Amino acid sequence: MLEQLNRIEQTALSMLDQVRDEAGLQQWRVKHLGRSSSLSQVLSKLGQLPKEERPMVGRRANQIRQALESALVEKSEALQQVAIQRSLEAERLDVSMPGRPAHSSRLHPATQTLRKIYQILAEMGFQIYWSREVETDAYNFELLNMPAHHPARDMWDTFHTTTPGVLLRTHTSPGQIHAMREFAPEPIRVILPGMCYRYEQLTARSEIQFNQVEGLAIGKNITFSDLKGTLADFARRMFGQNVRSRFRASHFPFTEPSAEVDIECFVCGGSGCSVCKQTGWLEILGCGMVHPTVLRNGGYDPEKHTGFAFGVGPERITQLRHRIEDIRYFWGNDMRFLEQF
Ligand code: DAH
């Protein structure tokens, strides 16, 4: 009997040796430790043995069961190790491969220029005053000295909403009235940045949306020389300390007198080229002394207060700084353009 048990053990162990995977392991367990295994059969027939043989055979059979069970655990762990090793080999990561470049974001070129403008004017004491993009006819035109049928309105084709008299602002100048009505009769030194809209045919020189930065200074004894000094300094800080600027007489309904500011063409240095259209000068903004009617509409007494205003286009300035030929690139969302800045 003991000999038979020894054989059972040896057979089981040598078969376990040949097991190669989890399925084989399960089959082995059923065959050698299951209910109908040879070992179980020996144990179930224990009662039929002579009394004096029973303890010895029983003890040996249980020893074998324990031995087989721990061999099973050992084998199972060994198989798992092999499986892990195999997957590490098969799914090996090549850490020497170059990584995918991280996509870093950046500011839109117009935003970059806007921030530069804010910085320069902040240093001169101008605060940002946010005004609305949806305006009334009164603020966009009337209160700025452009009554209905005023020929100056022809400069702007406008996006009208379905509500009569409500439109998208064509310029940032209506913000002047909002700021004045909030602060009058106190002095004001603000800039009003933001998007403007015009219903236009798209060309290289015109867009239906664009930014403007309006400047407004109101107080006692503000003169045209304050305007000149401020804007000449702005041009130097924006384009370089050696850049010359000039004031050209112009007309805007909301300023009197009015002017346009040019800077010396930094491409040709003033001798004339295709960028400045052979004039040697580049126009950068419109400006003037706030018209008495506009002052009055804002709540100031033009006998006591004066002020200056200006309007500059950040996209236009960006075009000059980077020699961008077509203004439509700004809002075309073409990454090939945007990634250059
Ligand atoms: N609002 C004018 C435009 O959109 C720009 C402008 C000109 C603003 C002269 C001003 C100014 O404040 O004084 O063309």
Side-chain angles (χ1 to χ4, degrees), residues 156 170-171 173 176 198 212 214-215 252 254-255 286-288 309-311:
W156 294 292
T170 56
H171 52 171
S173 303
Q176 288 189 27
R198 290 181 196 176
Q212 275 192 347
E214 190 89 6
F252 299 101
F254 29 88
T255 44
C287 62
F310 56 91

Side-chain angles (χ1 to χ4, degrees), residues 5 34 51 67 75 86 105 113 118 128 143-144 155 187 189 203 215 237 243 245 250 265 271 284 288 316:
L5 279 173
K51 218 176 181 173
K75 181 75 182 182
R86 206 177 287 145
S105 58
T113 303
Y118 299 163
I128 294 183
L143 295 165
L144 291 170
M155 290 201 301
R189 207 181 295 172
T203 69
R237 294 198 202 195
V243 161
S245 51
S250 184
C265 179
S271 59
I284 60 163
R316 165 115 183 105

Side-chain angles (χ1 to χ4, degrees), residues 2 5 23 26 49 62 65 67 95 98 104 112 120 125 129 132 151-152 198 248 292 298 319:
L2 286 177
L5 279 173
Q26 290 310 320
L49 289 177
N62 275 322
R65 170 177 284 279
V95 292
S104 69
Q112 292 180 28
I120 292 170
Y129 184 93
R132 61 204 69 179
R198 290 181 196 176
R248 225 171 352 94
Q319 281 187 284

Side-chain angles (χ1 to χ4, degrees), residues 247-292:
F247 286 69
R248 225 171 352 94
S250 184
H251 171 77
F252 299 101
F254 29 88
T255 44
E256 184 59 39
S258 304
E260 278 172 314
V261 176
D262 302 335
I263 57 166
E264 197 171 45
C265 179
F266 43 70
V267 177
C268 61
S271 59
C273 68
S274 63
V275 174
C276 60
K277 299 199 197 77
Q278 312 306 327
T279 64
W281 296 93
L282 301 165
E283 183 197 324
I284 60 163
L285 56 82
C287 62
M289 300 305 290
V290 180
H291 195 286

Side-chain angles (χ1 to χ4, degrees), residues 59-106:
R59 204 181 309 125
R60 180 75 186 117
N62 275 322
Q63 261 177 11
I64 291 174
R65 170 177 284 279
Q66 278 171 14
L68 293 186
E69 276 171 354
S70 61
L72 172 72
V73 170
E74 228 171 82
K75 181 75 182 182
S76 167
E77 282 168 1
L79 281 181
Q80 271 174 28
Q81 282 304 321
V82 169
I84 288 171
Q85 204 56 42
R86 206 177 287 145
S87 82
L88 283 177
E89 296 279 335
E91 298 157 27
R92 172 172 266 153
L93 291 177
D94 183 355
V95 292
S96 69
M97 250 167 78
R100 296 200 185 93
H103 202 82
S104 69
S105 58
R106 63 196 80 202

Side-chain angles (χ1 to χ4, degrees), residues 268-340:
C268 61
S271 59
C273 68
S274 63
V275 174
C276 60
K277 299 199 197 77
Q278 312 306 327
T279 64
W281 296 93
L282 301 165
E283 183 197 324
I284 60 163
L285 56 82
C287 62
M289 300 305 290
V290 180
H291 195 286
T293 303
V294 175
L295 278 173
R296 221 174 282 119
N297 290 340
Y300 288 87
D301 179 354
E303 297 296 322
K304 293 189 187 136
H305 292 95
T306 51
F308 67 75
F310 56 91
V312 40
E315 284 88 337
R316 165 115 183 105
I317 295 221
T318 312
Q319 281 187 284
L320 294 178
R321 285 172 81 198
H322 298 293
R323 296 187 213 162
I324 300 163
E325 277 159 17
D326 194 322
I327 199 166
R328 289 169 295 186
Y329 287 137
F330 282 94
W331 310 113
N333 274 343
D334 188 333
M335 293 302 283
R336 291 169 301 179
F337 169 73
L338 296 172
E339 278 175 352
Q340 293 176 47

